[in-house]
C-alpha cells in the first residue's frame, strides 16, 4: 500500500505558519535521539522489513519551526511518492519532526534511491533520510559507494565542519532559511 501525501497531510505537518518553535537543550535532544532509536527498534521487531527514517538537519536550539516543517513535509512527500510503504508514522515533536516508513524492497536500493532525493530535491540537502535494513543496520552513503555529504557552506565534508565548528549556527540557519524561502517563491510565487 503506497499512500500519497495529500494536501491535508501537508497542511497538518506545517501547521500554524506564524508559530515559532520552542528552544531545546542538549539533554532534550539526546533524549529525543534515544527515544527515536527505541521506536526504530520496536518498528523493526514488529515488521521485520527495511525502515526509512526522515528528520531535518537544522542547527541551533529551535528544532521545529516553519522552515523545518516545510523541509520535513517536502521530504515526506518525496519519500511517500517514491517508496512502497507498508506502514507510515509521523511524529511532530518540539525536538524536531520525525517520519518513519516501513518499506518494501532492498535496503541498499532504498538508500540509493533516497540519497538521490537528498541530492536532487531543492531542499534535499537539509533532509536526513536514514535507511535501516530489516536487522537494524544503518545503510550509509559509503555502503552504497557515495561520498560523504558536503558542508552547506564550503567544500569540506559536513562532518568535518560540524566537528571543527567551522560555521556558526546563525550562518547555517540563514543559508537554510534562505533556500526554503527561495523554494517557496518558485513553487507558489510571491
Amino acid at each position: 500500500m503506497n499512500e500519497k501525501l495529500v494536501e491535508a497531510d501537508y497542511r497538518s505537518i506545517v501547521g500554524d505558519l506564524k508559530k515559532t518553535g520552542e528552544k531545546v537543550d542538549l539533554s532534550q535532544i539526546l533524549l529525543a535521539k534515544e527515544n527515536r532509536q527505541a521506536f526504530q527498534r520496536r518498528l523493526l521487531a514488529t515488521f521485520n522489513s527495511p525502515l526509512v527514517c526522515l528528520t531535518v538537519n537544522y542547527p541551533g536550539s529551535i528544532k521545529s519551526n516553519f522552515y523545518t516543517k516545510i523541509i520535513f513535509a517536502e521530504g515526506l512527500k518525496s519519500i511517500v511518492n517514491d517508496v512502497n510503504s507498508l506502514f507510515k508514522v509521523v511524529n511532530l515533536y518540539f525536538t524536531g519532526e520525525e517520519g518513519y516508513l516501513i518499506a518494501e524492497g532492498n535496503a541498499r536500493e532504498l538508500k540509493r534511491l533516497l540519497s538521490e532525493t537528498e541530492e536532487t530535491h531543492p531542499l534535499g540537502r537539509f533532509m536526513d533520510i536514514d535507511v535501516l535494513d530489516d536487522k537494524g543496520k544503518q545503510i550509509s552513503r559509503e555502503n552504497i559507494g557515495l561520498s560523504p555529504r558536503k558542508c552547506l557552506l564550503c567544500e569540506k565534508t559536513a562532518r568535518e565542519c560540524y566537528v571543527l565548528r567551522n560555521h556558526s549556527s546563525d550562518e547555517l540557519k540563514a543559508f537554510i532559511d534562505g533556500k526554503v524561502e527561495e523554494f517557496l517563491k518558485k513553487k507558489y510565487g510571491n
Side-chain angles (χ1 to χ4, degrees):
M1 169 175 87
N2 187 5
E3 300 174 32
K4 301 293 183 202
L5 186 69
V6 295
E7 195 63 32
D9 292 333
Y10 192 94
R11 275 188 253 113
S12 71
I13 290 167
V14 175
D16 181 0
L17 299 182
K18 293 179 176 64
K19 184 178 178 194
T20 59
E22 297 177 42
K23 285 188 176 184
V24 296
D25 62 31
L26 182 59
S27 66
Q28 291 169 313
I29 292 170
L30 293 174
L31 181 60
K33 183 177 182 177
E34 190 178 304
N35 290 339
R36 207 167 32 251
Q37 290 170 338
F39 188 62
Q40 290 171 352
R41 286 190 298 273
R42 286 195 307 272
L43 287 172
L44 287 163
T46 301
F47 291 97
N48 199 31
S49 290
L51 174 63
V52 176
C53 305
L54 169 67
T55 55
V56 174
N57 291 319
Y58 196 81
S61 61
I62 297 177
K63 297 297 183 185
S64 179
N65 61 37
F66 169 73
Y67 298 102
T68 65
K69 289 178 180 186
I70 295 294
I71 295 164
F72 181 80
E74 284 295 317
L76 189 62
K77 184 166 58 171
S78 291
I79 293 169
V80 168
N81 289 335
D82 290 344
V83 172
N84 288 328
S85 60
L86 306 169
F87 183 76
K88 175 181 79 171
V89 176
V90 172
N91 295 325
L92 304 175
Y93 297 130
F94 71 99
T95 53
E97 298 77 23
E98 304 171 358
Y100 304 92
L101 285 89
I102 297 294
E104 293 179 338
N106 175 281
R108 285 178 176 271
E109 291 304 316
L110 288 166
K111 181 63 178 180
R112 198 168 279 112
L113 172 70
L114 297 173
S115 292
E116 191 174 314
T117 299
E118 289 176 331
E119 297 297 324
T120 61
H121 190 286
L123 302 178
R125 300 271 320 270
F126 319 124
M127 299 171 193
D128 187 9
I129 306 172
D130 292 333
V131 176
L132 288 77
D133 69 14
D134 60 344
K135 306 288 187 247
K137 180 182 183 283
Q138 185 168 339
I139 309 299
S140 70
R141 293 173 59 85
E142 291 80 10
N143 292 147
I144 59 168
L146 296 177
S147 58
R149 291 178 97 173
K150 295 279 188 193
C151 172
L152 298 174
L153 302 177
C154 71
E155 288 302 309
K156 295 179 182 173
T157 67
R159 180 162 307 284
E160 182 181 356
C161 283
Y162 175 76
V163 169
L164 296 174
R165 304 274 190 243
N166 287 340
H167 312 289
S168 74
S169 184
D170 288 341
E171 284 178 287
L172 292 165
K173 282 191 283 191
F175 179 79
I176 294 169
D177 296 355
K179 290 294 184 182
V180 172
E181 296 282 348
E182 186 180 301
F183 170 78
L184 292 172
K185 284 179 185 168
K186 283 182 182 173
K187 186 170 182 172
Y188 299 107
N190 295 336

Coordinates of all heavy atoms in Angstrom, one line a residue, residues 130-183:
D130 N 17.5 8.4 6.7 CA 18.3 7.2 7.1 C 17.5 5.9 6.6 O 16.3 5.9 6.6 CB 18.5 7.1 8.6 CG 19.4 8.2 9.1 OD1 20.3 8.6 8.3 OD2 19.3 8.5 10.3
V131 N 18.2 4.9 6.2 CA 17.6 3.6 5.9 C 18.3 2.5 6.7 O 19.5 2.5 6.8 CB 17.8 3.3 4.4 CG1 17.3 1.9 4.1 CG2 17.1 4.3 3.5
L132 N 17.5 1.8 7.4 CA 18.0 0.6 8.2 C 17.5 -0.6 7.6 O 16.3 -0.7 7.1 CB 17.5 0.7 9.7 CG 18.1 1.8 10.5 CD1 17.5 3.2 10.2 CD2 17.9 1.5 12.0
D133 N 18.3 -1.7 7.5 CA 17.9 -2.9 6.9 C 17.0 -3.6 8.0 O 16.8 -3.1 9.1 CB 19.0 -3.8 6.4 CG 19.9 -4.3 7.5 OD1 19.5 -4.3 8.7 OD2 21.0 -4.8 7.2
D134 N 16.4 -4.8 7.6 CA 15.5 -5.5 8.5 C 16.1 -5.9 9.8 O 15.4 -6.3 10.7 CB 14.8 -6.6 7.7 CG 15.8 -7.7 7.2 OD1 17.0 -7.4 7.2 OD2 15.3 -8.8 6.9
K135 N 17.4 -5.9 9.9 CA 18.2 -6.3 11.1 C 18.5 -5.1 12.0 O 19.1 -5.2 13.0 CB 19.4 -7.1 10.8 CG 19.2 -8.3 9.9 CD 18.5 -9.4 10.7 CE 18.5 -10.7 9.9 NZ 17.2 -11.0 9.5
G136 N 18.2 -3.9 11.4 CA 18.5 -2.7 12.2 C 19.8 -2.0 11.8 O 20.2 -1.0 12.4
K137 N 20.6 -2.6 10.9 CA 21.9 -2.0 10.5 C 21.6 -0.8 9.5 O 20.9 -0.9 8.5 CB 22.7 -3.0 9.7 CG 24.1 -2.5 9.3 CD 24.9 -3.5 8.5 CE 26.2 -3.0 8.1 NZ 26.2 -2.1 7.0
Q138 N 22.2 0.4 9.9 CA 22.0 1.5 9.1 C 22.9 1.4 7.8 O 24.0 1.1 7.9 CB 22.4 2.8 9.9 CG 22.1 4.1 9.1 CD 22.2 5.3 9.9 OE1 22.1 5.3 11.2 NE2 22.4 6.4 9.3
I139 N 22.3 1.7 6.7 CA 23.0 1.7 5.4 C 23.5 3.2 5.2 O 22.7 4.1 5.1 CB 22.0 1.3 4.3 CG1 21.3 0.0 4.6 CG2 22.8 1.2 3.0 CD1 22.2 -1.2 4.8
S140 N 24.8 3.3 5.1 CA 25.4 4.6 4.9 C 25.6 4.9 3.5 O 25.5 4.0 2.6 CB 26.7 4.7 5.7 OG 27.7 3.9 5.0
R141 N 25.9 6.2 3.2 CA 26.2 6.6 1.8 C 27.4 5.8 1.3 O 27.5 5.4 0.2 CB 26.4 8.1 1.8 CG 25.2 8.9 2.0 CD 25.5 10.4 2.1 NE 26.1 10.9 1.0 CZ 25.5 11.4 -0.1 NH1 24.2 11.4 -0.1 NH2 26.1 11.9 -1.1
E142 N 28.4 5.7 2.2 CA 29.6 4.9 1.9 C 29.3 3.5 1.5 O 30.0 2.9 0.7 CB 30.6 5.0 3.0 CG 31.2 6.4 3.2 CD 30.3 7.4 4.0 OE1 29.3 6.9 4.6 OE2 30.6 8.6 4.0
N143 N 28.3 2.9 2.2 CA 28.0 1.5 1.9 C 27.5 1.3 0.5 O 27.5 0.2 0.0 CB 26.8 1.0 2.9 CG 27.2 0.8 4.3 OD1 26.4 1.0 5.2 ND2 28.5 0.5 4.6
I144 N 27.0 2.3 -0.1 CA 26.5 2.2 -1.5 C 27.4 2.9 -2.5 O 27.0 3.2 -3.6 CB 25.0 2.7 -1.6 CG1 24.9 4.2 -1.2 CG2 24.1 1.8 -0.8 CD1 23.5 4.8 -1.5
G145 N 28.6 3.3 -2.1 CA 29.6 3.8 -3.0 C 29.5 5.3 -3.2 O 30.1 5.9 -4.1
L146 N 28.8 6.1 -2.3 CA 28.7 7.5 -2.4 C 29.6 8.2 -1.4 O 29.9 7.6 -0.4 CB 27.3 8.0 -2.1 CG 26.2 7.5 -3.1 CD1 24.8 8.0 -2.7 CD2 26.5 8.0 -4.5
S147 N 30.1 9.3 -1.8 CA 31.0 10.1 -0.9 C 30.1 10.7 0.2 O 28.9 10.9 0.1 CB 31.7 11.1 -1.7 OG 30.9 12.0 -2.3
P148 N 30.8 11.1 1.3 CA 30.1 11.8 2.4 C 29.5 13.1 1.9 O 30.0 13.7 1.0 CB 31.2 12.0 3.5 CG 32.3 11.1 3.1 CD 32.2 10.9 1.6
R149 N 28.4 13.5 2.6 CA 27.8 14.8 2.2 C 28.7 16.0 2.5 O 29.5 16.0 3.4 CB 26.5 15.0 3.1 CG 25.4 14.0 2.7 CD 24.2 14.1 3.5 NE 23.2 14.9 2.7 CZ 22.0 15.2 3.1 NH1 21.6 14.7 4.3 NH2 21.2 15.9 2.4
K150 N 28.6 16.9 1.6 CA 29.4 18.2 1.7 C 28.8 19.1 2.6 O 27.6 19.1 2.8 CB 29.6 18.8 0.3 CG 30.3 18.0 -0.7 CD 31.8 18.2 -0.5 CE 32.5 17.5 -1.6 NZ 33.9 17.3 -1.3
C151 N 29.6 20.0 3.2 CA 29.1 21.1 4.0 C 28.2 22.0 3.2 O 28.4 22.1 1.9 CB 30.3 21.9 4.5 SG 29.9 23.5 5.3
L152 N 27.2 22.6 3.8 CA 26.3 23.5 3.1 C 27.0 24.8 2.6 O 26.6 25.4 1.6 CB 25.2 23.9 4.0 CG 24.3 22.8 4.5 CD1 23.3 23.4 5.5 CD2 23.6 22.1 3.4
L153 N 28.1 25.2 3.3 CA 28.7 26.5 3.0 C 30.1 26.4 2.4 O 30.6 27.5 1.9 CB 28.8 27.3 4.3 CG 27.4 27.6 5.0 CD1 27.6 28.3 6.3 CD2 26.5 28.3 4.1
C154 N 30.7 25.3 2.4 CA 32.0 25.2 1.8 C 32.2 23.8 1.2 O 31.3 23.0 1.2 CB 33.1 25.5 2.9 SG 33.4 24.2 4.1
E155 N 33.4 23.5 0.7 CA 33.7 22.2 0.0 C 34.2 21.1 1.0 O 34.4 20.0 0.5 CB 34.7 22.4 -1.1 CG 34.1 23.2 -2.2 CD 32.9 22.5 -2.9 OE1 33.0 21.3 -3.2 OE2 31.9 23.2 -3.0
K156 N 34.3 21.3 2.2 CA 34.7 20.3 3.2 C 33.5 19.4 3.4 O 32.4 19.7 3.0 CB 35.2 20.9 4.5 CG 36.4 21.7 4.3 CD 36.9 22.3 5.6 CE 38.1 23.2 5.4 NZ 38.5 23.9 6.6
T157 N 33.8 18.2 4.1 CA 32.6 17.3 4.4 C 31.8 18.0 5.5 O 32.4 18.7 6.3 CB 33.1 15.9 4.9 OG1 33.8 16.1 6.1 CG2 34.0 15.3 3.8
A158 N 30.6 17.7 5.5 CA 29.7 18.2 6.6 C 30.1 17.8 7.9 O 30.1 18.6 8.9 CB 28.2 17.7 6.3
R159 N 30.6 16.6 8.1 CA 31.1 16.1 9.4 C 32.3 16.9 9.9 O 32.4 17.3 11.0 CB 31.4 14.6 9.3 CG 31.9 14.1 10.7 CD 31.8 12.6 10.8 NE 30.6 11.9 10.6 CZ 29.5 11.9 11.4 NH1 29.6 12.6 12.5 NH2 28.4 11.3 11.1
E160 N 33.2 17.1 8.9 CA 34.4 17.9 9.3 C 34.1 19.3 9.8 O 34.6 19.7 10.8 CB 35.3 18.0 8.1 CG 36.6 18.7 8.4 CD 37.5 18.8 7.1 OE1 37.2 18.2 6.1 OE2 38.6 19.4 7.2
C161 N 33.2 20.0 9.1 CA 32.8 21.3 9.5 C 32.0 21.3 10.8 O 32.2 22.2 11.6 CB 32.0 22.0 8.4 SG 33.1 22.6 7.1
Y162 N 31.2 20.3 11.0 CA 30.4 20.2 12.2 C 31.4 20.0 13.4 O 31.3 20.7 14.4 CB 29.5 19.0 12.1 CG 28.7 18.7 13.4 CD1 27.7 19.6 13.8 CD2 29.1 17.7 14.2 CE1 27.0 19.4 15.0 CE2 28.4 17.5 15.4 CZ 27.3 18.3 15.8 OH 26.7 18.1 17.0
V163 N 32.3 19.0 13.3 CA 33.2 18.7 14.4 C 34.1 19.9 14.7 O 34.3 20.3 15.9 CB 34.1 17.5 14.0 CG1 35.3 17.3 15.0 CG2 33.2 16.2 14.0
L164 N 34.6 20.6 13.7 CA 35.5 21.7 13.9 C 34.8 23.0 14.1 O 35.4 24.1 14.4 CB 36.4 21.9 12.7 CG 37.4 20.7 12.4 CD1 38.2 20.9 11.1 CD2 38.4 20.6 13.6
R165 N 33.4 23.0 14.0 CA 32.6 24.2 14.2 C 33.1 25.3 13.3 O 33.3 26.5 13.7 CB 32.6 24.7 15.7 CG 32.2 23.6 16.6 CD 30.7 23.7 16.8 NE 30.2 22.8 17.9 CZ 29.5 21.8 17.7 NH1 29.1 21.4 16.5 NH2 29.1 21.0 18.8
N166 N 33.3 25.0 12.0 CA 33.8 26.0 11.0 C 32.8 27.1 10.7 O 33.2 28.2 10.2 CB 34.2 25.3 9.7 CG 35.5 24.5 9.9 OD1 36.2 24.7 10.8 ND2 35.7 23.6 9.0
H167 N 31.5 26.9 11.0 CA 30.5 27.9 10.6 C 29.6 28.0 11.8 O 29.3 27.1 12.5 CB 29.7 27.4 9.4 CG 30.5 27.0 8.3 ND1 31.3 27.9 7.5 CD2 30.8 25.8 7.8 CE1 31.9 27.2 6.6 NE2 31.7 25.9 6.7
S168 N 29.1 29.2 12.0 CA 28.2 29.5 13.2 C 26.8 29.0 12.8 O 26.4 28.8 11.7 CB 28.1 31.0 13.5 OG 27.3 31.7 12.5
S169 N 26.1 28.7 13.9 CA 24.7 28.3 13.8 C 23.9 29.3 13.0 O 23.0 29.0 12.2 CB 24.1 28.1 15.2 OG 22.9 27.6 15.2
D170 N 24.1 30.6 13.3 CA 23.4 31.7 12.6 C 23.7 31.7 11.1 O 22.8 31.9 10.3 CB 23.7 33.0 13.2 CG 23.1 33.2 14.6 OD1 22.2 32.5 15.0 OD2 23.6 34.1 15.3
E171 N 24.9 31.4 10.7 CA 25.3 31.4 9.3 C 24.5 30.2 8.6 O 23.9 30.4 7.5 CB 26.8 31.1 9.1 CG 27.7 32.2 9.3 CD 29.1 31.8 9.1 OE1 29.6 31.0 10.0 OE2 29.7 32.2 8.1
L172 N 24.5 29.1 9.2 CA 23.8 27.9 8.7 C 22.3 28.1 8.6 O 21.7 27.8 7.6 CB 24.2 26.7 9.5 CG 25.6 26.2 9.4 CD1 26.0 25.2 10.5 CD2 25.9 25.6 8.0
K173 N 21.7 28.6 9.7 CA 20.3 28.9 9.7 C 19.9 29.9 8.6 O 18.9 29.7 7.9 CB 19.8 29.4 11.0 CG 19.7 28.3 12.1 CD 19.0 28.8 13.3 CE 19.9 29.6 14.1 NZ 19.4 29.9 15.5
A174 N 20.7 30.9 8.4 CA 20.4 32.0 7.4 C 20.4 31.3 6.0 O 19.6 31.6 5.2 CB 21.4 33.1 7.5
F175 N 21.4 30.5 5.8 CA 21.5 29.8 4.5 C 20.3 28.9 4.2 O 19.7 28.9 3.2 CB 22.8 29.0 4.4 CG 23.0 28.2 3.1 CD1 23.4 28.9 2.0 CD2 22.6 26.9 3.1 CE1 23.6 28.2 0.8 CE2 22.8 26.2 1.9 CZ 23.2 26.8 0.7
I176 N 19.9 28.1 5.2 CA 18.8 27.1 5.1 C 17.5 27.9 4.9 O 16.7 27.6 4.0 CB 18.7 26.2 6.3 CG1 20.0 25.2 6.3 CG2 17.4 25.4 6.3 CD1 20.1 24.5 7.6
D177 N 17.3 28.9 5.8 CA 16.0 29.7 5.7 C 15.9 30.3 4.4 O 14.8 30.4 3.8 CB 16.0 30.7 6.8 CG 15.9 30.1 8.2 OD1 15.8 28.8 8.4 OD2 16.0 30.9 9.2
G178 N 17.0 30.9 3.8 CA 17.0 31.5 2.5 C 16.6 30.5 1.4 O 15.9 30.9 0.5
K179 N 17.2 29.3 1.5 CA 16.9 28.3 0.5 C 15.4 27.9 0.6 O 14.8 27.6 -0.5 CB 17.8 27.1 0.6 CG 19.2 27.4 0.3 CD 19.3 27.7 -1.2 CE 20.8 27.8 -1.6 NZ 20.9 28.2 -3.1
V180 N 14.9 27.8 1.8 CA 13.4 27.4 1.9 C 12.6 28.6 1.3 O 11.6 28.3 0.6 CB 13.0 27.2 3.4 CG1 11.5 27.0 3.5 CG2 13.8 25.9 3.9
E181 N 12.9 29.8 1.6 CA 12.2 31.0 1.1 C 12.2 30.9 -0.5 O 11.2 31.2 -1.1 CB 12.7 32.3 1.6 CG 12.6 32.5 3.1 CD 11.2 32.9 3.5 OE1 10.4 33.3 2.6 OE2 10.9 32.9 4.7
E182 N 13.4 30.7 -1.0 CA 13.6 30.6 -2.5 C 12.7 29.5 -3.1 O 12.1 29.7 -4.1 CB 15.1 30.3 -2.7 CG 15.5 30.4 -4.2 CD 17.0 30.1 -4.2 OE1 17.8 30.8 -3.6 OE2 17.4 29.1 -4.9
F183 N 12.7 28.3 -2.4 CA 11.9 27.2 -2.8 C 10.4 27.6 -2.9 O 9.7 27.3 -3.8 CB 12.1 26.0 -1.9 CG 11.2 24.9 -2.1 CD1 11.4 24.0 -3.2 CD2 10.1 24.7 -1.3 CE1 10.5 22.9 -3.4 CE2 9.2 23.6 -1.5 CZ 9.4 22.8 -2.6

